Amino acid sequence: MHTYHKLLAGFLFFFILMLPLHAQHTCGFDHQHEEMLQTDSVYPQQIQLLENNIRDHLKANLSANKSAGDIYTVPVVVHVVYTHENAPNNISDEQIISGIKRLNEIFADYDNSGVDTKIQFQLASRTPDCQSTTGIVRVKGSDLPSYTSHGIDIE
């Protein structure tokens, strides 16, 4: 009976964690990606080729330059498009940092439900042209063409 209670508690915990994810809108990229996989005959082949190239590159570089215990760090830039300074969609730096922390926990298999990928994410400290950055880019939506009247058009 004790195992049953653990299983039930685990299921409820997982379900509660997933509720906020279900309530969120999907990313525009995900929608566009799925549509292109269904409608564009070349796109799936390009994606597969890209994934193969990335996999081969990571295998070659990780095995040549990293030992088994080393962690691969991926610099991340978060783009926040907001309507006005105090809008809910202008999330705080703390929320972004918390999200990256959660992502790192998942990739590190903090709950022992999968595999530690030895990959972690951190806000980028340099731009592609080596300028200093916080890794968070904020863009006022009204500065984007048609954003105020149409939002982000994923079509």
Side-chain angles (χ1 to χ4, degrees):
M1 202 64 156
H2 184 66
T3 304
Y4 172 76
H5 290 289
K6 278 185 169 179
L7 183 62
L8 181 60
F11 175 75
L12 289 174
F13 180 71
F14 176 77
F15 182 74
I16 289 169
L17 282 178
M18 296 309 287
L19 280 176
L21 295 176
H22 181 69
Q24 294 175 352
H25 296 289
T26 58
C27 175
F29 171 82
D30 293 335
H31 172 77
Q32 190 68 32
H33 174 70
E34 287 301 318
E35 185 175 311
M36 289 179 72
L37 284 173
Q38 301 296 323
T39 60
D40 186 327
S41 61
V42 177
Y43 183 74
Q45 296 167 356
Q46 292 172 327
I47 292 297
Q48 187 62 51
L49 180 63
L50 179 63
E51 288 176 358
N52 291 343
N53 287 342
I54 291 170
R55 187 177 305 109
D56 293 345
H57 177 76
L58 287 174
K59 276 183 188 175
N61 286 306
L62 288 178
S63 62
N65 300 323
K66 298 263 185 200
S67 66
D70 287 345
I71 295 176
Y72 190 76
T73 301
V74 179
V76 176
V77 177
V78 176
H79 296 262
V80 179
V81 179
Y82 63 94
T83 51
H84 55 82
E85 280 305 311
N86 297 323
N89 57 1
N90 190 9
I91 63 174
S92 69
D93 290 1
E94 291 77 22
Q95 287 173 293
I96 293 168
I97 291 166
S98 174
I100 291 175
K101 180 181 179 219
R102 175 75 174 119
L103 183 65
N104 284 331
E105 288 173 351
I106 292 168
F107 272 71
D109 190 33
Y110 77 102
D111 64 354
N112 296 317
S113 64
V115 174
D116 182 353
T117 64
K118 304 290 185 197
I119 297 173
Q120 73 176 6
F121 302 89
Q122 71 179 29
L123 288 171
S125 58
R126 296 275 174 214
T127 64
D129 60 352
C130 288
Q131 300 299 312
S132 182
T133 181
T134 63
I136 300 172
V137 176
R138 294 182 187 279
V139 178
K140 190 169 184 180
S142 60
D143 294 343
L144 300 172
S146 303
Y147 179 80
T148 304
S149 57
H150 301 293
I152 295 176
D153 184 7
I154 59 175
E155 298 299 321

